[in-house]
Coordinates of all heavy atoms in Angstrom, one line a residue:
M24 N -22.3 -13.8 -43.4 CA -20.8 -13.8 -43.0 C -20.0 -13.6 -44.3 O -20.1 -14.4 -45.2 CB -20.5 -15.1 -42.4 CG -21.3 -15.4 -41.1 SD -20.3 -14.8 -39.7 CE -19.2 -16.1 -39.5
S25 N -19.1 -12.6 -44.3 CA -18.3 -12.4 -45.5 C -16.8 -12.7 -45.1 O -16.0 -12.8 -46.0 CB -18.5 -11.0 -46.0 OG -18.3 -10.1 -45.0
C26 N -16.6 -12.8 -43.9 CA -15.1 -13.0 -43.5 C -14.6 -14.4 -43.7 O -15.2 -15.3 -43.3 CB -15.0 -12.6 -42.0 SG -13.3 -12.9 -41.4
N27 N -13.6 -14.5 -44.5 CA -13.0 -15.8 -44.7 C -11.5 -15.7 -44.2 O -10.7 -16.6 -44.5 CB -13.0 -16.2 -46.1 CG -12.3 -15.2 -47.1 OD1 -11.6 -14.3 -46.6 ND2 -12.4 -15.3 -48.4
H28 N -11.1 -14.8 -43.4 CA -9.8 -14.7 -42.8 C -9.6 -15.8 -41.8 O -8.4 -16.2 -41.5 CB -9.5 -13.3 -42.1 CG -9.5 -12.2 -43.1 ND1 -10.7 -11.5 -43.3 CD2 -8.6 -11.8 -43.9 CE1 -10.4 -10.5 -44.3 NE2 -9.1 -10.7 -44.6
V29 N -10.7 -16.3 -41.1 CA -10.5 -17.2 -40.1 C -9.8 -18.5 -40.6 O -9.0 -19.1 -39.8 CB -12.0 -17.7 -39.5 CG1 -11.9 -18.8 -38.5 CG2 -12.6 -16.5 -38.9
E30 N -10.1 -18.9 -41.8 CA -9.5 -20.1 -42.3 C -8.0 -20.1 -42.4 O -7.4 -21.2 -42.4 CB -10.1 -20.4 -43.8 CG -11.6 -20.6 -43.8 CD -12.1 -20.4 -45.3 OE1 -11.3 -20.6 -46.2 OE2 -13.3 -19.9 -45.4
H31 N -7.5 -18.9 -42.5 CA -6.1 -18.8 -42.6 C -5.2 -18.5 -41.3 O -4.1 -18.3 -41.4 CB -5.8 -17.7 -43.7 CG -6.4 -17.8 -44.9 ND1 -6.2 -18.8 -45.8 CD2 -7.5 -17.2 -45.5 CE1 -7.0 -18.8 -46.9 NE2 -7.8 -17.8 -46.7
L32 N -6.0 -18.6 -40.2 CA -5.4 -18.3 -38.9 C -4.7 -19.5 -38.4 O -5.2 -20.6 -38.6 CB -6.5 -17.8 -38.0 CG -7.2 -16.4 -38.2 CD1 -8.2 -16.2 -37.2 CD2 -6.1 -15.3 -38.3
H33 N -3.7 -19.3 -37.6 CA -3.1 -20.4 -36.8 C -2.9 -19.8 -35.4 O -1.8 -19.4 -35.0 CB -1.7 -20.8 -37.5 CG -1.9 -21.3 -38.8 ND1 -2.4 -22.6 -39.1 CD2 -1.6 -20.8 -40.0 CE1 -2.4 -22.8 -40.4 NE2 -1.9 -21.6 -41.0
P34 N -3.9 -19.8 -34.7 CA -3.8 -19.1 -33.4 C -2.8 -19.6 -32.5 O -2.6 -20.8 -32.4 CB -5.2 -19.3 -32.8 CG -6.1 -19.6 -34.0 CD -5.3 -20.3 -34.9
T35 N -2.1 -18.7 -31.8 CA -1.0 -19.1 -30.9 C -1.4 -18.5 -29.5 O -2.1 -17.5 -29.4 CB 0.3 -18.7 -31.3 OG1 0.3 -17.3 -31.6 CG2 0.8 -19.4 -32.6
A36 N -0.8 -19.1 -28.5 CA -1.0 -18.6 -27.1 C -0.6 -17.1 -26.9 O 0.3 -16.7 -27.6 CB -0.3 -19.5 -26.1
A37 N -1.3 -16.5 -26.0 CA -0.9 -15.1 -25.7 C 0.6 -15.0 -25.3 O 1.1 -15.7 -24.5 CB -1.8 -14.6 -24.5
R38 N 1.2 -13.9 -25.8 CA 2.6 -13.7 -25.5 C 2.8 -13.0 -24.2 O 3.9 -13.0 -23.7 CB 3.2 -12.9 -26.6 CG 3.1 -13.4 -28.0 CD 4.0 -12.9 -29.0 NE 3.9 -11.4 -29.2 CZ 4.0 -10.7 -30.3 NH1 4.1 -11.4 -31.4 NH2 3.9 -9.4 -30.4
S39 N 1.8 -12.4 -23.7 CA 1.9 -11.7 -22.3 C 0.5 -11.7 -21.6 O -0.5 -12.0 -22.3 CB 2.3 -10.2 -22.6 OG 1.4 -9.6 -23.5
S40 N 0.5 -11.5 -20.4 CA -0.7 -11.6 -19.6 C -1.5 -10.3 -19.6 O -2.7 -10.2 -19.2 CB -0.4 -12.0 -18.2 OG 0.5 -11.1 -17.6
G41 N -0.9 -9.2 -20.1 CA -1.5 -7.9 -20.2 C -1.2 -7.3 -21.5 O -0.4 -8.0 -22.3
C42 N -1.6 -6.1 -21.8 CA -1.3 -5.4 -23.1 C 0.3 -5.3 -23.1 O 0.9 -4.7 -22.3 CB -1.9 -4.1 -23.1 SG -1.3 -3.1 -24.6
E43 N 0.9 -5.8 -24.2 CA 2.3 -5.9 -24.3 C 2.9 -4.4 -24.2 O 3.9 -4.2 -23.5 CB 2.6 -6.5 -25.7 CG 3.9 -7.2 -25.8 CD 4.0 -8.1 -27.0 OE1 3.2 -9.0 -27.2 OE2 4.9 -7.8 -27.8
E44 N 2.4 -3.6 -25.0 CA 3.0 -2.2 -25.0 C 2.7 -1.4 -23.7 O 3.6 -0.7 -23.2 CB 2.4 -1.3 -26.2 CG 3.0 -1.8 -27.5 CD 2.3 -3.0 -28.2 OE1 1.3 -3.5 -27.5 OE2 2.6 -3.4 -29.3
C45 N 1.5 -1.7 -23.2 CA 1.2 -0.9 -21.9 C 2.0 -1.4 -20.8 O 2.5 -0.6 -19.9 CB -0.3 -1.1 -21.6 SG -1.4 -0.1 -22.6
L46 N 2.4 -2.7 -20.7 CA 3.2 -3.2 -19.7 C 4.6 -2.6 -19.8 O 5.3 -2.3 -18.8 CB 3.3 -4.7 -19.8 CG 2.1 -5.5 -19.4 CD1 2.3 -7.0 -19.7 CD2 1.9 -5.4 -17.9
K47 N 5.1 -2.3 -21.0 CA 6.4 -1.7 -21.2 C 6.4 -0.3 -20.8 O 7.5 0.2 -20.3 CB 6.8 -1.8 -22.7 CG 7.4 -3.2 -23.1 CD 7.7 -3.2 -24.6 CE 7.9 -4.7 -25.0 NZ 7.5 -4.8 -26.5
T48 N 5.3 0.4 -21.1 CA 5.3 1.9 -20.8 C 4.7 2.3 -19.5 O 4.6 3.5 -19.2 CB 4.7 2.6 -22.0 OG1 3.3 2.2 -22.1 CG2 5.4 2.3 -23.3
G49 N 4.1 1.3 -18.8 CA 3.4 1.6 -17.6 C 2.1 2.3 -17.8 O 1.6 3.0 -16.9
S50 N 1.4 2.1 -18.9 CA 0.1 2.7 -19.2 C -1.0 1.7 -18.7 O -0.7 0.6 -18.3 CB 0.0 2.9 -20.7 OG -1.2 3.6 -21.0
N51 N -2.2 2.2 -18.7 CA -3.3 1.4 -18.2 C -4.2 1.0 -19.4 O -4.2 1.7 -20.4 CB -4.2 2.1 -17.2 CG -3.4 2.5 -16.0 OD1 -2.7 1.6 -15.4 ND2 -3.4 3.7 -15.6
W52 N -4.9 -0.1 -19.2 CA -5.9 -0.5 -20.2 C -7.2 -0.8 -19.6 O -7.3 -1.0 -18.4 CB -5.3 -1.8 -21.0 CG -5.2 -3.0 -20.1 CD1 -6.2 -3.8 -19.7 CD2 -3.9 -3.5 -19.5 NE1 -5.6 -4.8 -18.9 CE2 -4.3 -4.6 -18.8 CE3 -2.6 -3.0 -19.6 CZ2 -3.2 -5.3 -18.1 CZ3 -1.6 -3.7 -19.0 CH2 -2.0 -4.9 -18.2
V53 N -8.2 -0.9 -20.5 CA -9.6 -1.2 -20.0 C -9.9 -2.7 -20.3 O -10.2 -3.4 -19.3 CB -10.6 -0.3 -20.7 CG1 -12.1 -0.6 -20.2 CG2 -10.3 1.2 -20.4
H54 N -9.8 -3.1 -21.5 CA -10.0 -4.5 -21.9 C -8.9 -5.0 -22.8 O -8.3 -4.2 -23.5 CB -11.4 -4.7 -22.6 CG -12.6 -4.3 -21.8 ND1 -13.4 -3.3 -22.2 CD2 -13.1 -4.8 -20.7 CE1 -14.4 -3.1 -21.2 NE2 -14.2 -4.1 -20.3
L55 N -8.7 -6.3 -22.8 CA -7.6 -6.9 -23.6 C -8.2 -7.6 -24.8 O -9.3 -8.2 -24.7 CB -6.8 -7.9 -22.7 CG -6.1 -7.2 -21.5 CD1 -5.5 -8.3 -20.7 CD2 -5.0 -6.3 -22.0
R56 N -7.4 -7.6 -25.9 CA -7.7 -8.3 -27.1 C -6.5 -9.1 -27.5 O -5.4 -8.6 -27.4 CB -8.0 -7.3 -28.2 CG -9.1 -6.3 -27.8 CD -10.4 -6.9 -27.6 NE -11.5 -5.9 -27.3 CZ -12.2 -6.0 -26.2 NH1 -12.0 -7.0 -25.3 NH2 -13.2 -5.2 -26.0
L57 N -6.8 -10.4 -28.0 CA -5.7 -11.2 -28.4 C -5.7 -11.3 -30.0 O -6.7 -11.6 -30.6 CB -6.0 -12.7 -27.8 CG -5.0 -13.8 -28.3 CD1 -3.6 -13.5 -27.8 CD2 -5.6 -15.1 -27.8
C58 N -4.6 -11.1 -30.6 CA -4.4 -11.2 -32.0 C -4.3 -12.7 -32.4 O -3.4 -13.4 -31.8 CB -3.1 -10.5 -32.5 SG -2.7 -10.8 -34.2
L59 N -5.2 -13.2 -33.2 CA -5.2 -14.6 -33.5 C -4.2 -15.0 -34.6 O -4.2 -16.1 -35.0 CB -6.6 -15.0 -33.9 CG -7.7 -14.8 -32.8 CD1 -9.0 -15.5 -33.3 CD2 -7.2 -15.4 -31.5
S60 N -3.4 -14.0 -35.1 CA -2.4 -14.4 -36.0 C -1.1 -14.7 -35.3 O -0.2 -15.5 -35.7 CB -2.1 -13.3 -37.0 OG -3.3 -13.1 -37.8
C61 N -0.8 -14.0 -34.2 CA 0.6 -14.0 -33.6 C 0.6 -14.1 -32.1 O 1.7 -14.1 -31.5 CB 1.4 -12.8 -34.1 SG 1.0 -11.2 -33.4
G62 N -0.6 -14.0 -31.4 CA -0.5 -14.0 -30.0 C -0.2 -12.8 -29.3 O -0.1 -12.6 -28.0
H63 N -0.2 -11.7 -30.0 CA 0.0 -10.3 -29.4 C -1.3 -10.0 -28.6 O -2.4 -10.2 -29.0 CB 0.1 -9.3 -30.5 CG 0.1 -7.8 -30.0 ND1 -1.0 -7.1 -30.0 CD2 1.1 -7.1 -29.5 CE1 -0.7 -5.9 -29.5 NE2 0.5 -5.8 -29.2
V64 N -1.0 -9.5 -27.3 CA -2.1 -9.0 -26.5 C -2.0 -7.5 -26.6 O -1.0 -6.9 -26.3 CB -2.0 -9.6 -25.0 CG1 -3.1 -9.0 -24.2 CG2 -2.1 -11.0 -25.1
G65 N -3.2 -6.9 -26.9 CA -3.2 -5.4 -26.9 C -4.5 -4.9 -26.2 O -5.4 -5.7 -25.9
C66 N -4.5 -3.6 -26.0 CA -5.7 -3.0 -25.3 C -6.8 -2.5 -26.3 O -6.5 -2.2 -27.5 CB -5.3 -1.9 -24.4 SG -4.2 -0.7 -25.1
C67 N -7.9 -2.5 -25.8 CA -9.2 -2.2 -26.7 C -9.2 -0.7 -27.0 O -8.5 0.1 -26.5 CB -10.4 -2.6 -26.0 SG -10.8 -1.6 -24.5
D68 N -10.2 -0.4 -27.8 CA -10.4 1.0 -28.2 C -10.9 1.9 -27.1 O -11.0 3.1 -27.3 CB -11.3 1.1 -29.5 CG -10.6 0.6 -30.7 OD1 -9.4 0.4 -30.6 OD2 -11.2 0.6 -31.8
D69 N -11.4 1.4 -26.0 CA -11.8 2.3 -24.9 C -10.5 2.5 -24.0 O -10.7 3.4 -23.1 CB -12.8 1.5 -24.0 CG -14.1 1.3 -24.8 OD1 -14.5 2.2 -25.5 OD2 -14.8 0.2 -24.4
S70 N -9.4 2.0 -24.3 CA -8.3 2.2 -23.6 C -7.5 3.4 -24.2 O -7.7 3.7 -25.4 CB -7.3 1.0 -23.6 OG -8.0 -0.2 -23.2
P71 N -6.7 4.2 -23.4 CA -6.1 5.4 -23.9 C -5.2 5.1 -25.1 O -5.1 6.0 -26.1 CB -5.3 5.9 -22.7 CG -5.8 5.2 -21.5 CD -6.4 4.0 -22.0
Q72 N -4.5 4.0 -25.2 CA -3.5 3.8 -26.2 C -4.0 3.0 -27.4 O -3.4 3.0 -28.4 CB -2.2 3.2 -25.6 CG -1.7 3.9 -24.4 CD -1.1 5.3 -24.7 OE1 -0.6 5.5 -25.8 NE2 -1.3 6.2 -23.8
R73 N -5.0 2.2 -27.2 CA -5.7 1.4 -28.3 C -4.6 0.6 -29.1 O -4.5 0.6 -30.3 CB -6.4 2.4 -29.3 CG -7.3 3.2 -28.6 CD -7.9 4.4 -29.4 NE -8.7 3.9 -30.6 CZ -9.3 4.6 -31.4 NH1 -9.3 6.0 -31.3 NH2 -10.0 4.1 -32.4
H74 N -3.9 -0.2 -28.2 CA -2.8 -1.0 -28.9 C -3.3 -2.1 -29.8 O -2.5 -2.5 -30.7 CB -1.8 -1.5 -27.8 CG -1.0 -0.4 -27.2 ND1 -1.0 -0.1 -25.9 CD2 -0.1 0.4 -27.8 CE1 -0.1 1.0 -25.7 NE2 0.5 1.3 -26.8
A75 N -4.4 -2.6 -29.5 CA -4.9 -3.8 -30.4 C -5.1 -3.2 -31.8 O -4.7 -3.8 -32.8 CB -6.1 -4.4 -29.9
T76 N -5.7 -2.0 -31.9 CA -6.0 -1.4 -33.3 C -4.7 -1.0 -33.9 O -4.5 -1.2 -35.0 CB -6.9 -0.3 -33.1 OG1 -8.2 -0.8 -32.7 CG2 -7.2 0.5 -34.5
R77 N -3.8 -0.5 -33.1 CA -2.5 -0.1 -33.6 C -1.7 -1.3 -34.2 O -1.0 -1.2 -35.2 CB -1.6 0.6 -32.5 CG -2.0 2.1 -32.4 CD -0.8 2.9 -31.9 NE -1.1 3.5 -30.7 CZ -0.3 4.1 -29.9 NH1 1.0 4.2 -30.3 NH2 -0.6 4.7 -28.8
H78 N -1.9 -2.4 -33.5 CA -1.2 -3.6 -34.0 C -1.7 -4.0 -35.3 O -1.0 -4.4 -36.2 CB -1.4 -4.7 -32.9 CG -0.8 -6.0 -33.3 ND1 0.6 -6.3 -33.3 CD2 -1.4 -7.2 -33.7 CE1 0.8 -7.5 -33.6 NE2 -0.4 -8.1 -33.9
F79 N -3.0 -4.0 -35.5 CA -3.6 -4.2 -36.8 C -3.1 -3.3 -37.8 O -2.6 -3.7 -38.9 CB -5.1 -4.1 -36.8 CG -5.7 -4.1 -38.1 CD1 -5.7 -5.2 -39.0 CD2 -6.3 -2.9 -38.6 CE1 -6.2 -5.1 -40.2 CE2 -6.8 -2.8 -39.9 CZ -6.8 -3.9 -40.7
Q80 N -3.0 -2.0 -37.5 CA -2.5 -0.9 -38.5 C -1.1 -1.2 -38.9 O -0.6 -1.0 -40.0 CB -2.7 0.4 -37.9 CG -4.2 0.8 -37.9 CD -4.4 2.1 -36.9 OE1 -3.5 2.5 -36.2 NE2 -5.6 2.6 -37.0
Q81 N -0.3 -1.8 -38.0 CA 1.1 -2.0 -38.2 C 1.4 -3.3 -38.9 O 2.3 -3.5 -39.7 CB 1.9 -1.9 -36.9 CG 2.1 -0.5 -36.4 CD 2.6 -0.5 -35.0 OE1 2.8 -1.5 -34.3 NE2 2.7 0.8 -34.5
T82 N 0.6 -4.4 -38.6 CA 0.9 -5.7 -39.0 C -0.1 -6.2 -40.1 O 0.2 -7.2 -40.7 CB 0.9 -6.7 -37.8 OG1 -0.5 -6.7 -37.3 CG2 1.9 -6.3 -36.8
H83 N -1.3 -5.6 -40.1 CA -2.4 -6.1 -40.9 C -2.9 -7.5 -40.5 O -3.5 -8.3 -41.3 CB -2.2 -6.0 -42.4 CG -1.8 -4.6 -42.8 ND1 -2.8 -3.7 -43.0 CD2 -0.6 -4.1 -43.0 CE1 -2.3 -2.6 -43.3 NE2 -0.9 -2.7 -43.3
H84 N -2.6 -8.0 -39.3 CA -3.2 -9.2 -38.8 C -4.7 -9.0 -38.6 O -5.1 -8.1 -37.8 CB -2.5 -9.6 -37.4 CG -1.1 -9.9 -37.6 ND1 -0.2 -10.0 -36.5 CD2 -0.4 -10.3 -38.7 CE1 1.0 -10.4 -37.0 NE2 0.9 -10.6 -38.2
P85 N -5.6 -9.8 -39.3 CA -7.0 -9.3 -39.4 C -7.9 -9.5 -38.2 O -8.8 -8.7 -38.0 CB -7.5 -10.2 -40.5 CG -6.5 -11.4 -40.5 CD -5.2 -10.9 -40.1
I86 N -7.7 -10.5 -37.4 CA -8.6 -10.9 -36.4 C -8.1 -10.9 -35.0 O -7.0 -11.5 -34.7 CB -9.3 -12.3 -36.7 CG1 -9.9 -12.2 -38.1 CG2 -10.3 -12.7 -35.7 CD1 -10.6 -13.5 -38.5
I87 N -8.8 -10.2 -34.1 CA -8.6 -10.3 -32.7 C -9.8 -11.0 -32.0 O -10.9 -11.0 -32.5 CB -8.5 -8.9 -32.0 CG1 -9.7 -8.0 -32.4 CG2 -7.2 -8.2 -32.4 CD1 -9.9 -6.8 -31.5
A88 N -9.5 -11.6 -30.8 CA -10.6 -12.2 -30.0 C -10.5 -11.4 -28.7 O -9.4 -10.9 -28.3 CB -10.4 -13.7 -29.8
S89 N -11.6 -11.4 -28.0 CA -11.6 -10.8 -26.7 C -10.7 -11.7 -25.8 O -10.8 -12.9 -25.8 CB -13.0 -10.8 -26.0 OG -12.9 -10.3 -24.7
Y90 N -9.9 -11.0 -25.0 CA -9.0 -11.7 -24.0 C -9.5 -11.4 -22.6 O -8.7 -11.2 -21.7 CB -7.6 -11.3 -24.2 CG -6.6 -12.4 -23.6 CD1 -6.7 -13.7 -24.0 CD2 -5.7 -12.0 -22.7 CE1 -5.8 -14.7 -23.4 CE2 -4.8 -12.9 -22.1 CZ -4.9 -14.3 -22.5 OH -4.1 -15.2 -21.9
E91 N -10.8 -11.3 -22.5 CA -11.5 -11.0 -21.2 C -12.1 -12.4 -20.7 O -12.6 -13.2 -21.5 CB -12.6 -10.0 -21.3 CG -12.0 -8.6 -21.6 CD -11.1 -8.1 -20.5 OE1 -11.5 -8.3 -19.2 OE2 -10.0 -7.5 -20.7
R92 N -12.1 -12.6 -19.4 CA -12.6 -13.8 -18.8 C -14.0 -14.1 -19.3 O -14.9 -13.3 -19.3 CB -12.8 -13.5 -17.3 CG -12.2 -14.6 -16.4 CD -12.1 -14.0 -15.0 NE -10.7 -13.6 -14.7 CZ -9.7 -14.4 -14.5 NH1 -9.9 -15.7 -14.6 NH2 -8.5 -14.0 -14.2
G93 N -14.1 -15.4 -19.9 CA -15.4 -15.9 -20.3 C -16.0 -15.4 -21.6 O -17.0 -15.9 -22.0
E94 N -15.4 -14.4 -22.2 CA -15.8 -13.8 -23.5 C -15.3 -14.7 -24.6 O -14.2 -15.1 -24.6 CB -15.4 -12.4 -23.6 CG -16.1 -11.5 -22.6 CD -16.0 -10.0 -22.9 OE1 -15.3 -9.6 -23.8 OE2 -16.6 -9.3 -22.1
R95 N -16.2 -14.9 -25.6 CA -15.9 -15.8 -26.7 C -16.2 -15.2 -28.1 O -16.7 -15.8 -28.9 CB -16.7 -17.1 -26.5 CG -16.2 -18.0 -25.4 CD -14.8 -18.5 -25.5 NE -14.4 -19.2 -24.4 CZ -13.6 -18.7 -23.4 NH1 -13.3 -17.4 -23.4 NH2 -13.2 -19.4 -22.4
W96 N -15.9 -13.9 -28.3 CA -16.2 -13.3 -29.6 C -14.9 -12.8 -30.2 O -13.8 -12.7 -29.5 CB -17.2 -12.1 -29.4 CG -16.7 -11.0 -28.5 CD1 -17.1 -10.9 -27.1 CD2 -15.9 -9.9 -28.7 NE1 -16.5 -9.8 -26.6 CE2 -15.8 -9.2 -27.5 CE3 -15.3 -9.5 -29.8 CZ2 -15.1 -8.0 -27.4 CZ3 -14.5 -8.3 -29.8 CH2 -14.4 -7.6 -28.5
A97 N -14.9 -12.6 -31.5 CA -13.9 -12.1 -32.2 C -14.3 -11.0 -33.1 O -15.5 -10.8 -33.4 CB -13.2 -13.3 -33.0
W98 N -13.3 -10.3 -33.7 CA -13.6 -9.2 -34.6 C -12.6 -9.1 -35.7 O -11.4 -9.3 -35.5 CB -13.5 -7.9 -33.7 CG -13.6 -6.6 -34.6 CD1 -12.5 -5.8 -34.9 CD2 -14.8 -6.0 -35.1 NE1 -12.9 -4.7 -35.6 CE2 -14.3 -4.8 -35.8 CE3 -16.1 -6.3 -35.1 CZ2 -15.2 -4.0 -36.4 CZ3 -17.0 -5.4 -35.8 CH2 -16.5 -4.3 -36.4
C99 N -13.2 -9.0 -36.9 CA -12.3 -8.9 -38.1 C -12.2 -7.4 -38.5 O -13.2 -6.7 -38.7 CB -12.8 -9.7 -39.3 SG -11.7 -9.5 -40.7
Y100 N -10.9 -6.9 -38.4 CA -10.8 -5.5 -38.7 C -11.0 -5.2 -40.2 O -11.5 -4.1 -40.5 CB -9.3 -5.0 -38.4 CG -9.0 -4.8 -36.9 CD1 -8.3 -5.7 -36.2 CD2 -9.5 -3.6 -36.3 CE1 -8.0 -5.5 -34.8 CE2 -9.2 -3.4 -34.9 CZ -8.5 -4.3 -34.2 OH -8.2 -4.1 -32.9
V101 N -10.6 -6.1 -41.0 CA -10.7 -6.0 -42.5 C -12.1 -5.9 -42.9 O -12.6 -5.0 -43.6 CB -10.0 -7.1 -43.2 CG1 -10.1 -6.9 -44.7 CG2 -8.4 -7.1 -42.8
D102 N -12.9 -6.8 -42.5 CA -14.3 -6.9 -42.8 C -15.3 -6.2 -41.9 O -16.5 -6.0 -42.2 CB -14.8 -8.4 -42.9 CG -14.1 -9.1 -44.0 OD1 -14.1 -8.7 -45.1 OD2 -13.4 -10.1 -43.6
R103 N -14.7 -5.6 -40.8 CA -15.5 -4.9 -39.8 C -16.7 -5.8 -39.4 O -17.8 -5.3 -39.4 CB -15.9 -3.5 -40.3 CG -14.7 -2.7 -40.7 CD -15.1 -1.2 -40.9 NE -15.7 -0.7 -39.6 CZ -14.9 -0.2 -38.6 NH1 -13.6 -0.4 -38.6 NH2 -15.5 0.3 -37.6
E104 N -16.4 -7.0 -39.0 CA -17.4 -7.9 -38.7 C -17.1 -8.7 -37.4 O -16.1 -9.1 -37.1 CB -17.4 -8.9 -39.9 CG -18.6 -9.9 -39.9 CD -18.7 -10.8 -41.2 OE1 -19.0 -10.1 -42.2 OE2 -18.3 -11.9 -41.1
M105 N -18.3 -8.8 -36.6 CA -18.2 -9.5 -35.4 C -18.3 -11.0 -35.7 O -19.2 -11.4 -36.5 CB -19.4 -9.1 -34.6 CG -19.4 -9.2 -33.2 SD -18.3 -8.0 -32.5 CE -18.6 -8.4 -30.8
L106 N -17.5 -11.8 -35.0 CA -17.5 -13.3 -35.2 C -17.5 -14.0 -33.9 O -17.2 -13.4 -32.9 CB -16.1 -13.6 -36.0 CG -15.7 -12.9 -37.2 CD1 -14.3 -13.1 -37.5 CD2 -16.6 -13.3 -38.3
V107 N -17.9 -15.3 -34.0 CA -17.7 -16.2 -32.9 C -16.3 -16.6 -32.9 O -15.8 -16.9 -34.0 CB -18.7 -17.4 -33.0 CG1 -18.5 -18.4 -31.9 CG2 -20.1 -17.0 -33.0
A108 N -15.7 -16.7 -31.8 CA -14.3 -17.1 -31.7 C -14.1 -18.5 -32.3 O -14.8 -19.4 -32.0 CB -13.7 -17.1 -30.3
P109 N -13.2 -18.6 -33.2 CA -13.0 -19.9 -34.0 C -12.6 -21.0 -32.9 O -11.9 -20.7 -31.9 CB -11.9 -19.6 -35.0 CG -11.3 -18.3 -34.5 CD -12.2 -17.6 -33.8
D110 N -13.0 -22.2 -33.3 CA -12.6 -23.4 -32.4 C -11.1 -23.4 -32.0 O -10.8 -23.7 -30.9 CB -13.1 -24.7 -33.0 CG -14.6 -24.9 -33.1 OD1 -15.2 -24.1 -32.4 OD2 -15.1 -25.7 -33.8
A111 N -10.3 -23.2 -33.0 CA -8.9 -23.3 -32.8 C -8.4 -22.3 -31.8 O -7.3 -22.5 -31.2 CB -8.1 -23.1 -34.1
A112 N -9.2 -21.2 -31.5 CA -8.7 -20.2 -30.5 C -9.3 -20.4 -29.2 O -8.8 -19.8 -28.2 CB -9.1 -18.9 -31.0
L113 N -10.3 -21.2 -29.0 CA -11.0 -21.3 -27.8 C -10.1 -21.6 -26.6 O -10.3 -21.1 -25.5 CB -12.2 -22.3 -27.9 CG -13.4 -21.9 -28.7 CD1 -14.4 -23.0 -28.7 CD2 -13.9 -20.6 -28.3
A114 N -9.2 -22.6 -26.8 CA -8.3 -23.0 -25.7 C -7.4 -21.9 -25.2 O -6.8 -22.0 -24.2 CB -7.6 -24.3 -26.1
L115 N -7.2 -20.9 -26.1 CA -6.2 -19.8 -25.8 C -6.9 -18.7 -25.1 O -6.1 -17.8 -24.6 CB -5.6 -19.3 -27.2 CG -5.1 -20.4 -28.1 CD1 -4.7 -19.8 -29.4 CD2 -3.9 -21.1 -27.5
L116 N -8.2 -18.6 -25.1 CA -8.9 -17.5 -24.5 C -9.0 -17.8 -23.0 O -8.8 -18.8 -22.5 CB -10.3 -17.4 -25.1 CG -10.2 -17.2 -26.6 CD1 -11.7 -17.0 -27.1 CD2 -9.4 -16.0 -26.9
R117 N -9.3 -16.7 -22.2 CA -9.4 -16.8 -20.8 C -10.7 -17.5 -20.3 O -11.8 -17.1 -20.8 CB -9.2 -15.4 -20.1 CG -7.8 -14.9 -20.4 CD -7.7 -13.4 -19.8 NE -7.7 -13.4 -18.3 CZ -7.8 -12.3 -17.6 NH1 -8.1 -11.2 -18.3 NH2 -7.8 -12.4 -16.3
K118 N -10.6 -18.3 -19.4 CA -11.8 -19.1 -18.9 C -12.7 -18.2 -18.2 O -12.3 -17.3 -17.4 CB -11.3 -20.2 -18.0 CG -10.3 -21.2 -18.6 CD -11.0 -22.2 -19.5 CE -10.0 -23.2 -20.1 NZ -9.3 -22.6 -21.3
Ligands
ZN201 ZN1 -12.2 -11.0 -42.2
ZN202 ZN1 -2.1 -1.0 -24.5
ZN203 ZN1 -0.7 -10.1 -34.6

């Protein structure tokens, strides 16, 4: 494990129930990702608009977690490393 971004996170609740940008523009998504820095919900790289990755490119917020039912993994864009969702984020993920 090389990622130490987790220590600096202060996960906050999701700001929307779907991809924030897709909801505004009426686009569709495949899977949802939650930004653990600010609560932004964006769509995955299998989705046409890839808003989760775009959010990282614009904000440099390092870590997203899956915002899919029952999934408990996270991903650091900076280290390109798969992580277990940090304890502080578990209550914010979908059951
Ligand atoms: Zn990292
Ligand atoms: Zn989207
Ligand atoms: Zn963010």
Side-chain angles (χ1 to χ4, degrees):
M24 298 270 279
S25 54
C26 177
N27 60 7
H28 295 98
V29 174
E30 297 162 30
H31 306 291
L32 295 177
H33 300 284
T35 54
R38 303 200 300 225
S39 54
S40 56
C42 173
E43 209 167 297
E44 287 84 357
C45 283
L46 286 173
K47 280 180 197 149
T48 59
S50 187
N51 296 312
W52 61 79
V53 180
H54 297 117
L55 295 173
R56 306 294 180 236
L57 174 67
C58 173
L59 295 188
S60 296
C61 71
H63 172 266
V64 177
C66 51
C67 70
D68 285 354
D69 293 327
S70 307
Q72 309 293 328
R73 305 168 66 175
H74 286 123
T76 295
R77 277 208 240 171
H78 178 71
F79 165 69
Q80 288 164 349
Q81 287 166 359
T82 62
H83 301 284
H84 292 163
I86 299 182
I87 51 162
S89 175
Y90 200 56
E91 291 297 317
R92 231 168 259 287
E94 293 191 355
R95 293 293 178 266
W96 56 266
W98 169 258
C99 178
Y100 281 109
V101 177
D102 297 305
R103 305 191 58 78
E104 188 171 290
M105 202 78 175
L106 308 163
V107 175
D110 287 345
L113 289 181
L115 308 172
L116 304 180
R117 293 175 74 195
K118 306 277 182 280

